[in-house]
Amino acid sequence: MRRVLPAGDRALLVEVADLAAAERLHAALAAAELPGVEELVPAARTVLVRCDPRRVAEVATAIRSLPLAASAPVVGREVEIAVAYDGEDLPEVAAYLGVSAAELVRRHTGARWRVAFTGFAPGFGYLVCDDPLFDVPRRSAPRTRVPRGAVALAGPYSGVYPRESPGGWQLVGRTHAELWDADREPPALLAPGTVVRFAAAGFTVAGAPPRAGASSRPAVATGAVDLPGDRSTAPAIEVVDPGLQLLVQDLGRVGRASLGVAESGAADRRAHRAAQRAVGNPPEAAALELLAGGATLRFRGAGVVARAGADLGATLVHRDGTTEAVPCETPVAVHDGDELVAGWAGRGLRSVIAVRGAIALAPELASLATDTLAGLGSRERGAAPLRAGDVVPLRGPAAVRAAVARPSLAPPPRLPAAGETVVLRVVLGPRDDWFTGDGVRRFLEDEWTVTPRSDRVGIRLEGARALERAVTAELPSEGMAAGAVQVPPHGHPVVLLRDRPVTGGYPVIACVVTDDLDLAAQTPPGARIRFRPTALDVGGPF
């Protein structure tokens, strides 16, 4: 059995019968190097194939006739992970499985686990074993915060959360093992094929045992980042007030989904490119992304600044007390000591502030993008938002490739405000058949309100009616494309944005088309969304 399903306008989800077939399919796709294929995300019984959008149909046709690889799964090194089995879901999970908590722990530590695939977040491995006991449903409502090191069960899998994040798995214990370290090679402790043995340990948070694969990397400081050398002459931006959230962003980490790393990067790509173009930087340079507004930035040294994105109004306050407006997507000269004061967004949600020369922090995995879910950013700060007193170094005008700053050639788009309705185009699938016909109609006909619980991971929506499922079974984890519209058991959609998990276990009813993701990221709480279907030709019936 093989099905090729649309996953937006630039990805396909290829479904096979089981995990063994998915591993063989992934091996075949990796070896074939099909033209137009950009990235592969293997999962429980699927492989997500990210494609050049101009070649989606061609890739779909090639996949249908591609023979599976004959090789068995690769078995790698063996690691032991010490676990304190005191998870809050342990009693309930044991009762569900019909065993005592002690028996569950005995079986969990006695099993030989293997990492079948990775995803969700950097360092998160989906572990399988040959003990048939372990088949546990996810929680009906995911937790908004699962602690770092939580050992959990879902379906036939066990896993360990590498960092604090949302999650719907059942928590049975905790560990101090270092699952992910960008300075380690490989950075993930649990790579596909790794064999894992869990060992019961009665440690407390204050008395941790030696950590499996412990990192020698120093902890990221939570205080201000500052420059070495002469503070008076080195070009930099000083954060006087960061507003609601101020992050460093570039165009992200492309091609690392197999490590559990989404591309992340600027939420509104068009605004990011427009601001960089205005100051003369290359589009891939890093800039600041401001949520909602309310920030004040002080410049050290002379330069050129531009903003794009949300309509927040911004004023440049010169050292002599005079002021001037900072129009959207227009370069403005700044001098040492000048301050950029950003108002609050009336339309849109996120602003990009670019400075000629760009930001000169050290990248993590070849990017400065702040991934709020994965915990990746710069080596100096990790994913920590900028704080008052932070000083962000700039490379200076000498690093600029373009000689002349240029304003945008077209007027900025009109962005939505709270109370207005936004239309987002979607490609139905890959799991629209998991919903009733009435559920799909409601998804497309109803208006969905953006809630304040939305963030860079996803837009959480509420509607008058929950979406009715036709299939109520657990969905094995599978790859998530940017723009995927997941529907958790409560029946209200979540539109996954740039900091999405790489894999997920809730059915995706549709995917927002790539060209509408910038608009989605600019839709503020209180605005309403309607989804409009658009066709995708993948070269024949699925």
Side-chain angles (χ1 to χ4, degrees):
M1 183 273 290
R2 185 183 307 181
R3 293 203 303 163
V4 181
L5 307 169
D9 58 334
R10 60 178 308 143
L12 299 165
L13 188 73
V14 188
E15 182 180 31
V16 289
D18 52 28
L19 175 60
E23 290 177 315
R24 293 171 61 206
L25 173 64
H26 177 245
L29 286 166
E33 298 183 344
L34 298 176
V37 171
E38 298 175 346
E39 194 168 35
L40 303 173
V41 184
R45 64 183 188 201
T46 61
V47 177
L48 183 73
V49 183
R50 189 168 178 269
C51 312
D52 181 330
R54 299 165 296 183
R55 308 185 77 164
V56 173
E58 174 187 339
V59 171
T61 300
I63 288 173
R64 290 190 180 95
S65 60
L66 184 69
L68 298 183
S71 59
V74 175
V75 175
R77 61 183 180 136
E78 183 168 329
V79 300
E80 181 177 289
I81 296 179
V83 178
Y85 285 94
D86 55 4
E88 59 185 283
D89 298 327
L90 179 62
E92 184 178 343
V93 171
Y96 174 85
L97 295 175
V99 299
S100 67
E103 175 66 6
L104 188 152
V105 172
R106 187 188 71 80
R107 301 275 287 270
H108 194 258
T109 55
R112 183 176 185 267
W113 297 87
R114 177 179 64 85
V115 181
F117 55 94
T118 58
F120 175 67
F124 189 93
Y126 290 79
L127 282 68
V128 295
C129 72
D130 56 4
D131 187 335
L133 174 70
F134 296 102
D135 194 353
V136 180
R138 290 179 178 83
R139 293 174 57 85
S140 58
R143 291 179 170 92
T144 56
R145 290 186 177 181
V146 175
R148 174 182 177 178
V151 179
L153 299 169
Y157 302 103
S158 188
V160 184
Y161 284 77
R163 67 184 304 269
E164 182 181 285
S165 62
W169 288 33
Q170 307 284 357
L171 308 186
V172 298
R174 58 195 166 89
T175 181
H176 292 282
E178 190 78 27
L179 276 295
W180 175 269
D181 178 4
D183 287 339
R184 184 172 58 197
E185 186 55 46
L189 177 66
L190 304 182
T194 301
V195 174
V196 177
R197 297 283 188 180
F198 292 105
F203 60 83
T204 64
V205 172
R211 297 179 297 174
S215 170
S216 60
R217 184 183 185 186
V220 175
T222 57
V225 172
D226 212 333
L227 292 170
D230 187 349
R231 292 165 54 99
S232 64
T233 59
I237 301 173
E238 180 182 351
V239 180
V240 178
D241 185 341
L244 287 185
Q245 185 187 62
L246 187 64
L247 304 173
V248 176
Q249 296 292 356
D250 56 21
L251 293 182
R253 300 172 179 86
V254 179
R256 299 181 183 269
S258 62
L259 296 175
V261 178
E263 64 269 19
S264 185
D268 182 345
R269 297 287 208 260
R270 196 215 70 85
H272 182 91
R273 291 186 174 98
Q276 299 289 16
R277 182 181 190 277
V279 298
N281 288 341
E284 66 271 16
L288 300 180
E289 181 180 279
L290 173 63
L291 177 67
T296 299
L297 307 175
R298 182 178 297 133
F299 297 94
R300 295 184 179 178
V304 178
V305 67
R307 68 175 182 88
D311 181 14
L312 45 70
T315 301
L316 193 64
V317 180
H318 298 290
R319 292 182 65 177
D320 63 5
T322 59
T323 63
E324 66 175 296
V326 181
C328 192
E329 300 185 15
T330 301
V332 175
V334 295
H335 301 90
D336 184 62
D338 287 354
E339 292 186 352
L340 177 69
V341 180
W344 294 95
R347 290 188 168 277
L349 184 61
R350 294 178 170 91
S351 298
V352 178
I353 301 169
V355 180
R356 178 177 290 188
I359 292 169
L361 295 172
E364 197 166 30
L365 291 182
S367 172
L368 289 179
T370 302
D371 187 329
T372 58
L373 178 64
L376 298 173
S378 68
R379 292 188 177 273
E380 292 87 346
R381 293 198 60 82
L386 292 166
R387 297 167 46 174
D390 284 350
V391 178
V392 182
L394 301 172
R395 290 194 175 90
V400 181
R401 296 181 187 175
V404 180
R406 295 163 291 175
S408 178
L409 298 177
R414 180 180 173 85
L415 299 177
E420 297 183 348
T421 298
V422 174
V423 176
L424 298 179
R425 294 170 294 169
V426 296
V427 177
L428 286 174
R431 299 298 179 188
D432 54 316
D433 58 349
W434 278 53
F435 297 84
T436 64
D438 184 60
V440 175
R441 283 192 297 273
R442 287 182 178 183
F443 171 71
L444 296 173
E445 293 174 0
D446 288 2
E447 289 191 343
W448 302 91
T449 301
V450 178
T451 73
R453 295 179 291 113
S454 303
D455 53 23
R456 281 182 50 88
V457 176
I459 304 173
R460 291 162 177 84
L461 303 174
E462 288 183 352
R465 302 174 294 179
L467 300 179
E468 184 181 14
R469 291 264 294 265
V471 179
T472 58
E474 288 278 317
L475 177 69
S477 292
E478 57 192 27
M480 295 286 117
V485 185
Q486 276 192 330
V487 184
H490 55 57
H492 297 270
V494 179
V495 182
L496 298 182
L497 297 178
R498 301 295 181 184
D499 290 0
R500 73 191 186 283
V502 172
T503 59
Y506 299 125
V508 172
I509 191 171
C511 296
V512 177
V513 302
T514 304
D515 286 348
D516 285 3
L517 285 177
D518 292 342
L519 176 59
Q522 291 288 9
T523 304
R528 297 179 295 273
I529 288 177
R530 293 196 69 172
F531 297 105
R532 188 179 74 195
T534 185
L536 175 67
D537 177 14
V538 292
F542 305 146

